[in-house]
Amino acid sequence: MGIEILEFDREHAVARMPVEGNTQPLGLVHGGAYCVLGESLGSMHANYLAQQGGEGRFAVGVDINATHTGSATSGWVTGTCRVLSAGRTITVHEIVVTDEAGRRLSTIRITNLIRERK
C-alpha cells in the first residue's frame, strides 16, 4: 500500500498513501484502499492507547464505517486520525482522508475493543 506514518502522538496520527498502485480500473483510489489507510491508523492508535492503560492490553477492531465523498487520481492522499472516545474498553476514532489540495475524500470511523492478554 505504500503507507508512510508522518505523525503519531496521544491525540492523533497522520499517514499518507500514494495513489499509484492503489487504484481501481477507472484510475481512482479504490475505496478499499481508503479503508486500509483508515483502519491502519485507527487500529495502531487504539493499540497505542491500550498499552498506555497497562502492559498486556491490546485493541481489536469491531466496527468500521467509511463514506467516500471524493476521489484522487494522482499524487498522495493523507489520513488524519483523531480520537473521538477513549474509554477503558472501547475506543472510537475518526479518520479524514484528503488529497494534496486538502479536499476531503473519505471519512472513516473505526471502533476498537480493548482486551487483556491471557
Coordinates of all heavy atoms in Angstrom, one line a residue, residues 24-118:
Q24 N -8.5 1.6 -8.6 CA -9.4 0.7 -9.3 C -9.3 0.8 -10.8 O -8.5 1.7 -11.2 CB -10.9 1.0 -8.8 CG -11.2 2.5 -9.0 CD -12.7 2.8 -9.1 OE1 -13.2 2.5 -10.2 NE2 -13.3 3.2 -8.1
P25 N -9.9 0.0 -11.6 CA -9.7 0.1 -13.0 C -9.9 1.5 -13.7 O -9.3 1.8 -14.7 CB -10.7 -0.9 -13.6 CG -10.8 -1.9 -12.5 CD -10.8 -1.1 -11.2
L26 N -10.8 2.3 -13.1 CA -11.0 3.7 -13.6 C -9.9 4.7 -13.3 O -10.0 5.8 -13.8 CB -12.4 4.2 -13.1 CG -13.6 3.5 -13.6 CD1 -14.9 4.0 -13.0 CD2 -13.7 3.6 -15.2
G27 N -8.9 4.3 -12.5 CA -7.8 5.1 -12.2 C -8.0 6.0 -10.9 O -7.2 6.8 -10.6
L28 N -9.1 5.7 -10.2 CA -9.4 6.4 -8.9 C -8.9 5.6 -7.8 O -8.9 4.3 -7.9 CB -10.9 6.6 -8.8 CG -11.7 7.2 -9.9 CD1 -13.2 7.1 -9.7 CD2 -11.3 8.6 -10.2
V29 N -8.6 6.2 -6.7 CA -8.2 5.4 -5.5 C -9.4 4.5 -5.1 O -10.5 4.9 -5.1 CB -7.9 6.4 -4.3 CG1 -7.6 5.5 -3.0 CG2 -6.6 7.2 -4.6
H30 N -9.0 3.3 -4.9 CA -10.0 2.3 -4.6 C -10.6 2.6 -3.2 O -9.8 2.9 -2.3 CB -9.4 0.9 -4.6 CG -10.3 -0.3 -4.6 ND1 -11.0 -0.6 -3.5 CD2 -10.7 -1.1 -5.6 CE1 -11.8 -1.6 -3.8 NE2 -11.6 -2.0 -5.0
G31 N -11.9 2.4 -3.0 CA -12.5 2.7 -1.7 C -11.9 1.8 -0.6 O -11.7 2.2 0.5
G32 N -11.5 0.6 -1.0 CA -10.9 -0.3 0.0 C -9.6 0.2 0.4 O -9.1 -0.1 1.6
A33 N -8.8 0.9 -0.5 CA -7.5 1.5 -0.1 C -7.7 2.6 1.0 O -6.9 2.7 1.9 CB -6.8 2.0 -1.3
Y34 N -8.8 3.4 0.8 CA -9.1 4.4 1.8 C -9.3 3.7 3.2 O -8.9 4.1 4.2 CB -10.4 5.2 1.5 CG -10.2 6.2 0.4 CD1 -11.2 6.3 -0.6 CD2 -9.1 7.0 0.3 CE1 -11.1 7.2 -1.6 CE2 -9.0 7.9 -0.8 CZ -10.0 8.0 -1.7 OH -9.9 8.9 -2.7
C35 N -10.1 2.5 3.1 CA -10.4 1.8 4.4 C -9.1 1.2 5.0 O -9.0 1.2 6.2 CB -11.4 0.7 4.1 SG -13.0 1.3 3.7
V36 N -8.2 0.7 4.2 CA -6.9 0.2 4.7 C -6.2 1.3 5.4 O -5.6 1.1 6.5 CB -6.1 -0.5 3.6 CG1 -4.7 -0.8 4.1 CG2 -6.7 -1.7 3.1
L37 N -6.1 2.5 4.8 CA -5.4 3.6 5.4 C -6.1 3.9 6.7 O -5.4 4.1 7.8 CB -5.4 4.8 4.5 CG -4.8 6.1 5.0 CD1 -3.3 5.9 5.4 CD2 -4.9 7.2 3.9
G38 N -7.4 4.0 6.7 CA -8.1 4.4 7.9 C -8.0 3.4 9.0 O -7.8 3.7 10.2
E39 N -8.2 2.1 8.7 CA -8.1 1.0 9.7 C -6.7 0.9 10.2 O -6.5 0.7 11.4 CB -8.6 -0.3 9.1 CG -8.6 -1.4 10.2 CD -9.6 -2.5 9.9 OE1 -10.2 -2.5 8.9 OE2 -9.7 -3.4 10.8
S40 N -5.7 1.1 9.4 CA -4.3 1.0 9.8 C -4.1 2.1 10.9 O -3.5 1.8 12.0 CB -3.3 1.2 8.7 OG -3.4 0.1 7.8
L41 N -4.5 3.3 10.6 CA -4.3 4.4 11.5 C -5.1 4.2 12.8 O -4.5 4.4 13.9 CB -4.6 5.8 10.9 CG -3.6 6.4 10.0 CD1 -4.2 7.5 9.2 CD2 -2.4 6.9 10.8
G42 N -6.4 3.9 12.7 CA -7.2 3.8 13.8 C -6.8 2.6 14.7 O -6.8 2.7 16.0
S43 N -6.4 1.5 14.1 CA -6.0 0.3 14.9 C -4.7 0.6 15.6 O -4.5 0.2 16.8 CB -5.9 -0.9 14.0 OG -7.2 -1.3 13.6
M44 N -3.7 1.2 14.9 CA -2.4 1.4 15.5 C -2.6 2.4 16.7 O -2.0 2.2 17.8 CB -1.4 2.0 14.5 CG -0.9 1.0 13.6 SD 0.5 1.7 12.5 CE -0.4 3.0 11.6
H45 N -3.4 3.4 16.5 CA -3.6 4.4 17.6 C -4.4 3.8 18.8 O -4.0 4.0 19.9 CB -4.3 5.7 17.1 CG -4.1 6.8 17.9 ND1 -5.0 7.2 18.9 CD2 -3.1 7.7 18.0 CE1 -4.5 8.2 19.6 NE2 -3.3 8.6 19.0
A46 N -5.4 3.0 18.5 CA -6.1 2.3 19.6 C -5.2 1.4 20.3 O -5.2 1.3 21.6 CB -7.3 1.5 19.0
N47 N -4.3 0.7 19.7 CA -3.3 -0.2 20.4 C -2.3 0.7 21.2 O -2.0 0.3 22.3 CB -2.6 -1.1 19.4 CG -3.3 -2.4 19.2 OD1 -3.3 -3.2 20.0 ND2 -4.0 -2.4 18.0
Y48 N -1.9 1.8 20.7 CA -1.1 2.7 21.5 C -1.8 3.1 22.8 O -1.2 3.0 23.9 CB -0.8 3.9 20.6 CG -0.1 5.1 21.4 CD1 1.2 5.0 21.7 CD2 -0.9 6.2 21.8 CE1 1.8 6.1 22.5 CE2 -0.3 7.2 22.5 CZ 1.0 7.1 22.8 OH 1.6 8.2 23.6
L49 N -3.1 3.5 22.7 CA -3.8 3.9 23.8 C -4.0 2.7 24.8 O -4.0 2.9 26.0 CB -5.2 4.5 23.4 CG -5.1 5.8 22.6 CD1 -6.5 6.2 22.2 CD2 -4.5 6.9 23.4
A50 N -4.3 1.5 24.2 CA -4.5 0.4 25.1 C -3.2 0.1 25.9 O -3.3 -0.2 27.1 CB -4.8 -0.9 24.2
Q51 N -2.1 0.2 25.3 CA -0.8 -0.1 26.0 C -0.5 1.0 27.1 O 0.1 0.7 28.1 CB 0.3 -0.2 25.0 CG 0.2 -1.4 24.1 CD 1.1 -1.4 23.0 OE1 2.0 -0.6 22.8 NE2 1.0 -2.4 22.1
Q52 N -1.1 2.2 26.9 CA -0.9 3.2 27.9 C -1.7 2.8 29.2 O -1.3 3.3 30.2 CB -1.4 4.6 27.4 CG -0.7 5.1 26.2 CD 0.8 5.2 26.4 OE1 1.3 5.9 27.3 NE2 1.6 4.5 25.6
G53 N -2.7 2.0 29.0 CA -3.5 1.6 30.2 C -2.9 0.4 30.9 O -3.5 0.0 31.9
G54 N -1.8 -0.2 30.4 CA -1.2 -1.3 31.2 C -0.6 -2.3 30.2 O -1.1 -2.5 29.1
E55 N 0.4 -3.0 30.7 CA 1.1 -4.0 29.9 C 0.1 -5.1 29.6 O -0.7 -5.5 30.5 CB 2.3 -4.5 30.7 CG 3.1 -5.4 29.8 CD 4.4 -5.8 30.5 OE1 4.9 -5.0 31.3 OE2 4.9 -6.9 30.3
G56 N 0.1 -5.7 28.4 CA -0.7 -6.8 28.1 C -2.1 -6.4 27.5 O -2.9 -7.3 27.2
R57 N -2.3 -5.1 27.4 CA -3.6 -4.7 26.8 C -3.4 -4.5 25.3 O -2.3 -4.0 24.9 CB -4.1 -3.4 27.5 CG -4.5 -3.7 28.9 CD -4.8 -2.4 29.7 NE -5.6 -1.4 29.1 CZ -6.9 -1.4 29.2 NH1 -7.6 -2.2 29.9 NH2 -7.6 -0.4 28.5
F58 N -4.4 -4.8 24.5 CA -4.4 -4.6 23.1 C -5.8 -4.3 22.5 O -6.8 -4.5 23.2 CB -3.8 -5.9 22.4 CG -4.6 -7.1 22.6 CD1 -5.5 -7.5 21.6 CD2 -4.5 -7.9 23.7 CE1 -6.3 -8.6 21.7 CE2 -5.3 -9.0 23.9 CZ -6.2 -9.4 22.9
A59 N -5.8 -3.8 21.3 CA -7.1 -3.4 20.7 C -7.3 -4.3 19.5 O -6.4 -4.6 18.7 CB -7.0 -1.9 20.3
V60 N -8.6 -4.6 19.3 CA -9.1 -5.3 18.1 C -10.3 -4.6 17.5 O -11.1 -4.1 18.3 CB -9.5 -6.8 18.4 CG1 -8.2 -7.6 18.8 CG2 -10.5 -6.9 19.5
G61 N -10.3 -4.5 16.2 CA -11.4 -3.8 15.6 C -12.7 -4.5 15.6 O -12.7 -5.7 15.5
V62 N -13.8 -3.8 15.9 CA -15.1 -4.4 16.0 C -16.1 -3.8 15.0 O -17.1 -4.3 14.7 CB -15.7 -4.4 17.4 CG1 -14.8 -5.3 18.3 CG2 -15.8 -3.0 18.0
D63 N -15.7 -2.6 14.5 CA -16.6 -1.9 13.5 C -15.9 -0.9 12.7 O -15.0 -0.2 13.3 CB -17.8 -1.2 14.3 CG -18.8 -0.6 13.3 OD1 -19.4 -1.3 12.6 OD2 -18.9 0.7 13.3
I64 N -16.2 -0.8 11.5 CA -15.6 0.3 10.6 C -16.7 0.7 9.7 O -17.5 -0.1 9.2 CB -14.3 -0.2 9.9 CG1 -13.6 1.0 9.2 CG2 -14.6 -1.3 8.9 CD1 -12.2 0.7 8.8
N65 N -16.7 2.0 9.4 CA -17.7 2.6 8.5 C -16.9 3.7 7.7 O -16.1 4.4 8.2 CB -18.8 3.3 9.3 CG -19.7 4.0 8.4 OD1 -19.5 5.2 8.1 ND2 -20.8 3.4 8.0
A66 N -17.1 3.7 6.4 CA -16.5 4.7 5.5 C -17.5 5.3 4.6 O -18.3 4.6 4.0 CB -15.3 4.0 4.8
T67 N -17.4 6.6 4.4 CA -18.2 7.3 3.4 C -17.2 8.0 2.5 O -16.4 8.9 3.0 CB -19.1 8.3 4.1 OG1 -20.0 7.6 5.0 CG2 -19.9 9.0 3.0
H68 N -17.2 7.7 1.2 CA -16.3 8.3 0.2 C -17.0 9.4 -0.5 O -18.1 9.2 -1.0 CB -15.8 7.2 -0.8 CG -15.3 5.9 -0.1 ND1 -14.4 5.9 0.9 CD2 -15.7 4.7 -0.4 CE1 -14.2 4.7 1.2 NE2 -14.9 3.9 0.5
T69 N -16.4 10.6 -0.4 CA -17.1 11.8 -1.0 C -16.3 12.4 -2.1 O -16.7 13.5 -2.6 CB -17.4 12.8 0.1 OG1 -16.2 13.0 0.9 CG2 -18.4 12.3 1.1
G70 N -15.1 11.8 -2.4 CA -14.3 12.4 -3.5 C -13.3 11.3 -3.9 O -13.2 10.2 -3.3
S71 N -12.5 11.6 -4.9 CA -11.6 10.6 -5.4 C -10.3 11.3 -5.9 O -10.4 12.5 -6.3 CB -12.2 9.8 -6.5 OG -12.7 10.6 -7.5
A72 N -9.2 10.6 -5.8 CA -7.9 11.1 -6.3 C -7.5 10.3 -7.4 O -7.7 9.0 -7.4 CB -6.9 11.2 -5.1
T73 N -6.7 10.8 -8.4 CA -6.2 10.1 -9.5 C -4.7 10.2 -9.6 O -4.1 9.5 -10.4 CB -6.8 10.6 -10.8 OG1 -6.5 12.0 -11.0 CG2 -8.3 10.3 -10.9
S74 N -4.1 11.0 -8.8 CA -2.6 11.1 -8.8 C -2.1 11.7 -7.4 O -2.9 12.1 -6.6 CB -2.2 12.0 -9.9 OG -2.6 13.3 -9.7
G75 N -0.8 11.6 -7.2 CA -0.2 12.2 -6.0 C -0.4 11.3 -4.8 O -0.3 10.0 -4.9
W76 N -0.6 11.9 -3.7 CA -0.8 11.2 -2.4 C -2.1 11.6 -1.8 O -2.6 12.7 -2.0 CB 0.4 11.6 -1.5 CG 1.7 11.2 -1.9 CD1 2.5 11.7 -2.9 CD2 2.4 10.1 -1.4 NE1 3.7 11.0 -3.0 CE2 3.7 10.0 -2.1 CE3 2.2 9.1 -0.4 CZ2 4.6 9.0 -1.8 CZ3 3.2 8.2 -0.1 CH2 4.4 8.1 -0.8
V77 N -2.6 10.7 -0.9 CA -3.7 11.0 -0.1 C -3.2 10.9 1.4 O -2.3 10.2 1.7 CB -4.9 10.1 -0.3 CG1 -5.5 10.3 -1.7 CG2 -4.6 8.6 0.0
T78 N -3.8 11.8 2.2 CA -3.3 11.8 3.6 C -4.5 11.5 4.6 O -5.6 12.0 4.4 CB -2.8 13.2 4.0 OG1 -1.7 13.5 3.1 CG2 -2.3 13.3 5.4
G79 N -4.2 10.6 5.5 CA -5.2 10.3 6.5 C -4.9 10.9 7.9 O -3.7 10.8 8.3
T80 N -5.8 11.6 8.5 CA -5.6 12.2 9.8 C -6.6 11.6 10.7 O -7.8 11.7 10.6 CB -5.8 13.7 9.8 OG1 -4.9 14.3 8.8 CG2 -5.6 14.4 11.1
C81 N -6.1 10.9 11.7 CA -6.8 10.1 12.7 C -6.9 10.9 14.0 O -5.9 11.3 14.6 CB -6.1 8.8 12.9 SG -6.8 7.7 14.2
R82 N -8.1 11.0 14.5 CA -8.3 11.7 15.8 C -9.2 10.8 16.7 O -10.1 10.1 16.2 CB -9.0 13.0 15.6 CG -8.1 14.0 14.8 CD -8.3 15.4 15.2 NE -7.5 16.3 14.4 CZ -6.2 16.6 14.7 NH1 -5.6 16.1 15.7 NH2 -5.5 17.4 13.9
V83 N -8.9 10.9 18.0 CA -9.7 10.1 19.0 C -11.1 10.8 19.2 O -11.1 12.0 19.5 CB -9.0 10.0 20.3 CG1 -9.8 9.2 21.3 CG2 -7.6 9.4 20.1
L84 N -12.2 10.1 19.0 CA -13.5 10.6 19.4 C -13.8 10.2 20.8 O -14.5 11.0 21.5 CB -14.5 10.1 18.4 CG -14.4 10.5 17.0 CD1 -15.5 10.0 16.1 CD2 -14.3 12.0 16.8
S85 N -13.5 9.0 21.2 CA -13.7 8.5 22.5 C -12.7 7.4 22.9 O -12.4 6.6 22.1 CB -15.1 7.9 22.6 OG -15.4 7.3 23.9
A86 N -12.1 7.5 24.1 CA -11.1 6.6 24.5 C -11.4 6.2 25.9 O -11.0 6.8 26.9 CB -9.7 7.1 24.4
G87 N -12.2 5.1 26.1 CA -12.6 4.6 27.4 C -11.7 3.4 27.8 O -10.7 3.1 27.1
R88 N -12.0 2.8 28.9 CA -11.2 1.7 29.4 C -11.3 0.4 28.5 O -10.4 -0.3 28.3 CB -11.7 1.3 30.8 CG -10.8 0.3 31.5 CD -11.3 0.1 32.9 NE -12.6 -0.4 33.0 CZ -12.9 -1.7 32.8 NH1 -12.0 -2.6 32.5 NH2 -14.2 -2.1 32.9
T89 N -12.5 0.2 27.8 CA -12.7 -1.0 27.0 C -13.0 -0.7 25.5 O -13.0 -1.6 24.7 CB -13.8 -1.8 27.6 OG1 -15.0 -1.0 27.6 CG2 -13.5 -2.3 29.0
I90 N -13.3 0.5 25.2 CA -13.7 0.9 23.8 C -13.0 2.2 23.4 O -13.0 3.1 24.1 CB -15.2 1.1 23.6 CG1 -16.0 -0.3 23.8 CG2 -15.6 1.7 22.3 CD1 -16.0 -1.2 22.7
T91 N -12.5 2.2 22.1 CA -12.0 3.4 21.5 C -12.8 3.7 20.2 O -13.1 2.7 19.5 CB -10.5 3.4 21.2 OG1 -10.2 2.4 20.2 CG2 -9.7 3.2 22.5
V92 N -13.0 4.9 19.9 CA -13.6 5.3 18.7 C -12.7 6.4 18.0 O -12.4 7.4 18.7 CB -15.1 5.8 18.8 CG1 -15.7 6.2 17.5 CG2 -15.9 4.8 19.5
H93 N -12.4 6.2 16.8 CA -11.5 7.1 16.0 C -12.2 7.5 14.8 O -12.9 6.7 14.1 CB -10.2 6.5 15.7 CG -9.3 6.3 16.8 ND1 -9.4 5.2 17.7 CD2 -8.2 7.0 17.3 CE1 -8.4 5.3 18.6 NE2 -7.7 6.3 18.4
E94 N -12.0 8.8 14.4 CA -12.4 9.3 13.0 C -11.1 9.6 12.2 O -10.2 10.2 12.7 CB -13.2 10.5 13.2 CG -13.6 11.1 11.8 CD -14.4 12.4 11.9 OE1 -13.8 13.4 12.3 OE2 -15.6 12.4 11.6
I95 N -11.1 9.1 11.0 CA -10.0 9.3 10.1 C -10.6 10.1 8.9 O -11.5 9.6 8.2 CB -9.4 8.0 9.6 CG1 -8.9 7.2 10.8 CG2 -8.2 8.3 8.7 CD1 -9.9 6.2 11.4
V96 N -10.0 11.2 8.6 CA -10.4 12.0 7.5 C -9.3 11.9 6.4 O -8.1 12.2 6.7 CB -10.6 13.5 7.9 CG1 -10.8 14.4 6.6 CG2 -11.7 13.6 8.9
V97 N -9.6 11.5 5.2 CA -8.7 11.3 4.2 C -8.8 12.5 3.2 O -9.9 12.7 2.7 CB -8.8 10.0 3.4 CG1 -7.8 9.8 2.3 CG2 -8.8 8.8 4.4
T98 N -7.7 13.1 2.9 CA -7.8 14.3 2.0 C -6.7 14.1 0.9 O -5.8 13.3 1.0 CB -7.4 15.6 2.8 OG1 -6.1 15.4 3.4 CG2 -8.5 15.9 3.8
D99 N -7.0 14.9 -0.2 CA -6.0 14.9 -1.3 C -4.9 16.0 -1.0 O -5.0 16.7 0.0 CB -6.7 15.1 -2.7 CG -7.4 16.4 -2.8 OD1 -7.2 17.3 -2.0 OD2 -8.2 16.5 -3.8
E100 N -4.0 16.2 -2.0 CA -3.0 17.2 -1.8 C -3.5 18.6 -1.7 O -2.8 19.5 -1.2 CB -1.9 17.0 -2.9 CG -1.2 15.7 -2.8 CD -0.2 15.4 -3.9 OE1 -0.4 15.8 -5.0 OE2 0.9 14.8 -3.6
A101 N -4.7 18.9 -2.2 CA -5.2 20.2 -2.1 C -6.0 20.4 -0.8 O -6.6 21.5 -0.6 CB -6.2 20.5 -3.3
G102 N -6.1 19.3 0.0 CA -6.9 19.4 1.3 C -8.3 19.1 1.1 O -9.1 19.3 2.1
R103 N -8.7 18.6 0.0 CA -10.2 18.3 -0.2 C -10.5 16.9 0.4 O -9.7 16.0 0.2 CB -10.4 18.2 -1.7 CG -11.8 18.1 -2.2 CD -12.0 18.2 -3.7 NE -11.2 17.2 -4.4 CZ -11.7 16.1 -4.9 NH1 -13.0 15.9 -4.9 NH2 -10.9 15.3 -5.6
R104 N -11.6 16.9 1.2 CA -11.9 15.6 1.9 C -12.4 14.6 0.9 O -13.3 14.9 0.0 CB -13.0 15.9 2.9 CG -13.4 14.7 3.7 CD -14.5 14.9 4.7 NE -14.1 15.9 5.7 CZ -14.3 15.7 7.0 NH1 -14.8 14.5 7.5 NH2 -13.9 16.6 7.9
L105 N -11.8 13.4 0.9 CA -12.2 12.3 0.0 C -12.9 11.2 0.7 O -13.8 10.6 0.1 CB -10.9 11.7 -0.6 CG -10.0 12.7 -1.3 CD1 -8.7 12.0 -1.7 CD2 -10.7 13.4 -2.5
S106 N -12.7 11.0 2.0 CA -13.3 9.9 2.7 C -13.3 10.2 4.2 O -12.4 10.8 4.7 CB -12.6 8.6 2.4 OG -13.3 7.5 3.0
T107 N -14.4 9.8 4.9 CA -14.5 9.9 6.3 C -14.7 8.5 6.8 O -15.7 7.8 6.4 CB -15.7 10.8 6.7 OG1 -15.5 12.1 6.1 CG2 -15.7 11.0 8.2
I108 N -13.8 8.1 7.7 CA -13.9 6.7 8.2 C -14.0 6.8 9.7 O -13.3 7.6 10.4 CB -12.6 6.0 7.8 CG1 -12.5 6.0 6.3 CG2 -12.5 4.5 8.4 CD1 -11.0 5.8 5.8
R109 N -14.9 5.9 10.3 CA -15.0 5.8 11.7 C -14.7 4.3 12.1 O -15.2 3.4 11.5 CB -16.3 6.2 12.2 CG -16.4 6.3 13.8 CD -17.8 6.2 14.3 NE -18.2 4.8 14.2 CZ -19.4 4.5 13.8 NH1 -20.3 5.3 13.4 NH2 -19.7 3.2 13.7
I110 N -13.8 4.1 13.1 CA -13.5 2.8 13.5 C -13.6 2.7 15.0 O -13.2 3.6 15.7 CB -12.0 2.3 13.1 CG1 -11.8 0.9 13.5 CG2 -11.0 3.3 13.6 CD1 -10.5 0.3 12.9
T111 N -14.2 1.5 15.4 CA -14.4 1.2 16.9 C -13.5 0.0 17.2 O -13.5 -1.0 16.5 CB -15.8 0.9 17.2 OG1 -16.6 2.0 16.8 CG2 -16.0 0.7 18.7
N112 N -12.7 0.1 18.2 CA -11.8 -1.0 18.7 C -12.2 -1.3 20.1 O -12.5 -0.5 21.0 CB -10.4 -0.5 18.6 CG -9.8 -0.6 17.2 OD1 -9.4 -1.6 16.8 ND2 -9.8 0.6 16.6
L113 N -12.2 -2.6 20.4 CA -12.4 -3.2 21.7 C -11.0 -3.4 22.4 O -10.1 -4.0 21.7 CB -13.1 -4.5 21.6 CG -13.3 -5.3 22.9 CD1 -14.3 -4.5 23.8 CD2 -13.9 -6.7 22.6
I114 N -10.9 -3.0 23.6 CA -9.6 -3.1 24.3 C -9.7 -4.4 25.1 O -10.7 -4.6 25.9 CB -9.3 -2.0 25.3 CG1 -9.4 -0.6 24.6 CG2 -8.0 -2.2 26.0 CD1 -8.3 -0.4 23.5
R115 N -8.7 -5.3 24.9 CA -8.7 -6.6 25.6 C -7.4 -6.7 26.4 O -6.5 -6.0 26.3 CB -8.7 -7.7 24.6 CG -9.8 -7.7 23.5 CD -11.2 -8.2 24.1 NE -11.1 -9.4 24.8 CZ -11.4 -10.6 24.3 NH1 -11.8 -10.7 23.0 NH2 -11.4 -11.7 25.0
E116 N -7.4 -7.8 27.3 CA -6.2 -8.1 28.1 C -5.7 -9.4 27.6 O -6.5 -10.4 27.5 CB -6.6 -8.1 29.6 CG -7.2 -6.9 30.1 CD -6.3 -6.2 31.2 OE1 -5.3 -6.7 31.5 OE2 -6.7 -5.1 31.6
R117 N -4.4 -9.5 27.4 CA -3.8 -10.8 27.1 C -4.0 -11.8 28.3 O -3.8 -11.4 29.4 CB -2.3 -10.7 26.8 CG -2.1 -9.9 25.5 CD -0.6 -10.1 25.0 NE -0.2 -9.1 24.1 CZ -0.6 -9.0 22.8 NH1 -1.4 -9.9 22.3 NH2 -0.2 -8.0 22.1
K118 N -4.2 -13.0 27.9 CA -4.4 -14.1 29.0 C -3.1 -14.8 29.2 O -2.3 -14.9 28.4 CB -5.5 -15.0 28.6 CG -6.9 -14.3 28.5 CD -8.0 -15.3 28.2 CE -9.3 -14.5 28.1 NZ -10.4 -15.3 27.8

